[in-house]
Amino acid sequence: MEWVRFTCAAICLIFAVVMENIAVYGVFKFKFVMNRMHAAAIGDTLGLMLGALGLIILKGVSWFSFKMCLVVFLLWITSAVSSHVIMRMEYSIDEEAVAEETSDIDIQGGGQ
Amino acid sequence: MSRKRTDYRSTFYSRIENFVNGKEDFLLYKPKGNTEAKQLESLEEELAEAADLLEQREARQKLQDRMAPLDYLKNFHKLYGVVAALVCATMMILLISTVIYLPPFGSPDNPTNNEVIERYIEKGEEETGAVNIVTGLILNYRGFDTMGETHVLFIAASCVMILLLIVEGEEKKSVYANDRYLEPGNDIIIQRVACFLIPVILLFGIYVILNGHLSPGGGFSGGAVIGAGLILHEAAFGFRKTERFFNEHVYKIAKVSALCFYVCCLSYYFYMGAHGYDNHIPLGTPGNIISSGLILFINIFVGTEVACTMYAFYALFRKGGL
């Protein structure tokens, strides 16, 4: 039983490390901001969850596990919202994207 | 010899040429009397184009003039890698050779383990009443230092206010009129999340401040947490809603009164300590929430000060006012 638990935790932690590596690689690999944000979000969500899950499995049911769940919950909320806000700002100050959108509107208006 | 014509654009042949090139259509209705105006317009356009070209050429010339001195640096660029590696290697050798002569970490014979540390560890809890030795250290033994730090915060916020505060006038009106300059826009996602998160953050900050003498934390860290909560509230709901409970009036009262009370507490300590009197403040049982004399109150004052400063920096840099 102890070995099964240890194996599960180890697999989770290894996958967490792999996910974080993918996130770091993606952040440096992509050129476009939104692609990079997507890559960074992988580490923030899946990597974080897998790492916490591994530690929870190692610890078993205890106050520590409850606190880890709370940490994952709070971090999932905050990191997702902060990514959203950053993307919103990027969208509002990115002149190319805004120009594309307005040109679309112009074409539609001209057609009518 | 025919004389040279300057008004080629208005001739019949030029119009035919335009028609062939697809620039002009005879079949379209054209109101009369506009031709001269159109000619003028086209001439003006040409002039503007010529001016643009001239400007571009001048700008390019300027850029070339500016880039010209860089040619002398070509040799430096070749050497740059070598010089950088040399500088790095020299610094590494210097630092590592210094570290070699340092005493081993944690050894009891280190010069840092003198009677001061011994006194803090052995008698700190008994003398200050704080379980957290660090808090007892910075707020009691070294209270003068911490008081200076708090004053530094106050002065920093005042300096930023001097530089960035927009007083009533046209500038303020223009800043307030441009809503994109101030507000992030009503984002429903961040508002819903802020409704849930802000109470948690503020509660956590208050916990950190009140438990400063029992657990890691204290006025500085707890105040920073509370300031972050205020900034989140502002970012989610805008300045108008934040100003309902935290405006310039509240800021002035909270900040100045916190600093005054803090200085009063410490002055009492200094006066009694310097004259060798007993300060008559009960220390309570170490470990209780109400214990350790004035440290709890000093933590609260420092927390207020730091929270106000954090939020003031944000608001001043964002809109030039609280």
Side-chain angles (χ1 to χ4, degrees):
Chain A
M1 193 61 203
E2 200 64 22
W3 274 101
V4 173
R5 177 193 274 185
F6 178 76
T7 322
C8 287
I11 289 171
C12 279
L13 287 175
I14 287 169
F15 267 98
V17 172
V18 169
M19 286 301 152
E20 296 287 348
N21 278 325
I22 289 173
V24 171
Y25 179 72
V27 166
F28 285 99
K29 166 88 178 168
F30 290 124
K31 296 277 180 247
F32 189 49
V33 185
M34 303 205 185
N35 290 348
R36 279 193 284 184
M37 182 57 77
H38 177 214
I42 292 174
D44 273 356
T45 50
L46 192 59
L48 179 85
M49 188 200 74
L50 284 172
L53 194 67
L55 292 179
I56 289 169
I57 292 172
L58 267 186
K59 262 301 194 195
V61 180
S62 64
W63 272 108
F64 175 82
S65 309
F66 176 71
K67 283 182 196 168
M68 286 301 286
C69 289
L70 198 66
V71 166
V72 170
F73 175 66
L74 287 175
L75 276 177
W76 266 14
I77 290 178
T78 48
S79 75
V81 171
S82 62
S83 309
H84 162 76
V85 174
I86 292 171
M87 273 306 96
R88 210 185 138 100
M89 198 191 73
E90 158 65 21
Y91 179 73
S92 68
I93 65 170
D94 188 1
E95 286 169 4
E96 286 179 21
V98 173
E100 250 174 47
E101 188 177 314
T102 46
S103 71
D104 285 354
I105 291 167
D106 279 353
I107 288 165
Q108 283 169 3
Q112 287 159 5
Chain B
M1 286 292 285
S2 62
R3 72 199 154 84
K4 203 173 174 184
R5 294 196 59 169
T6 52
D7 52 347
Y8 176 69
R9 272 170 190 279
S10 60
T11 56
F12 182 60
Y13 296 106
S14 87
R15 295 183 71 186
I16 287 182
E17 193 193 356
N18 279 343
F19 178 66
V20 173
N21 288 336
K23 284 179 185 168
E24 198 177 355
D25 201 344
F26 288 119
L27 303 175
L28 279 178
Y29 169 72
K30 216 181 286 175
K32 284 182 179 177
N34 259 352
T35 47
E36 280 187 8
K38 273 197 174 173
Q39 275 181 4
L40 266 179
E41 262 179 29
S42 64
L43 273 178
E44 276 172 6
E45 275 174 18
E46 274 181 29
L47 266 177
E49 275 175 21
D52 275 357
L53 267 178
L54 264 178
E55 259 180 29
Q56 281 177 13
R57 197 175 292 168
E58 275 178 14
R60 211 178 298 147
Q61 190 62 41
K62 266 186 191 172
L63 199 66
Q64 277 178 356
D65 289 347
R66 265 176 54 194
M67 296 293 278
L70 287 183
D71 291 342
Y72 301 111
L73 291 177
K74 270 182 185 170
N75 285 328
F76 175 75
H77 278 295
K78 281 176 195 162
L79 278 175
Y80 185 76
V82 183
V83 174
L86 267 179
V87 169
C88 283
T90 324
M91 287 303 290
M92 266 169 65
I93 291 168
L94 271 175
L95 291 174
I96 289 175
S97 61
T98 316
V99 166
I100 285 172
Y101 287 107
L102 284 179
F105 178 76
S107 160
D109 301 329
N110 283 356
T112 49
N113 289 338
N114 49 20
E115 65 278 0
V116 180
I117 308 291
E118 210 178 300
R119 167 81 178 228
Y120 287 159
I121 292 173
E122 282 179 356
K123 293 201 168 177
E125 192 177 319
E126 179 192 327
E127 285 180 351
T128 64
V131 180
N132 182 1
I133 295 177
V134 177
T135 306
L137 185 69
I138 64 167
L139 292 183
N140 207 316
Y141 291 114
R142 297 175 57 182
F144 208 61
D145 179 58
T146 315
M147 192 175 79
E149 283 166 16
T150 320
H151 279 87
V152 165
L153 279 179
F154 182 77
I155 292 166
S158 306
C159 289
V160 174
M161 277 179 108
I162 290 169
L163 289 173
L164 294 180
L165 191 65
I166 299 173
V167 196
E168 296 286 342
E170 286 301 314
E171 202 179 353
K172 191 165 188 174
K173 268 183 202 162
S174 71
V175 167
Y176 274 77
N178 184 2
D179 60 339
R180 192 179 157 182
Y181 185 78
L182 291 180
E183 303 294 339
N186 284 327
D187 194 329
I188 190 76
I189 296 176
I190 190 171
Q191 282 180 357
R192 286 292 154 84
V193 171
C195 279
F196 166 73
L197 273 182
I198 287 170
V200 178
I201 291 176
L202 292 185
L203 202 64
F204 181 67
I206 292 168
Y207 161 78
V208 169
I209 289 179
L210 291 185
N211 264 293
H213 54 296
L214 303 178
S215 60
F220 285 101
S221 33
V225 172
I226 290 182
L230 287 175
I231 291 172
L232 176 61
H233 186 277
E234 192 283 311
F237 301 108
F239 278 103
R240 213 160 280 166
K241 288 187 178 169
T242 313
E243 275 169 8
R244 281 185 198 158
F245 66 92
F246 196 88
N247 49 24
E248 203 172 338
H249 190 61
V250 178
Y251 168 79
K252 277 179 194 162
I253 291 178
K255 197 164 169 113
V256 176
S257 58
L259 197 65
C260 287
F261 281 125
Y262 180 29
V263 172
C264 287
C265 292
L266 273 180
S267 306
Y268 179 72
Y269 268 152
F270 292 153
Y271 185 79
M272 294 313 225
H275 290 276
Y277 299 145
D278 188 12
N279 57 25
H280 299 297
I281 293 172
L283 289 180
T285 5
N288 282 2
I289 186 82
I290 298 180
S291 65
S292 73
L294 289 179
I295 286 182
L296 177 62
F297 301 102
I298 291 176
N299 259 333
I300 294 170
F301 299 143
V302 173
T304 317
E305 185 81 19
V306 174
C308 288
T309 310
M310 290 265 301
Y311 179 72
F313 278 162
Y314 179 79
L316 282 168
F317 276 100
R318 179 90 183 278
K319 68 162 186 173
L322 278 159

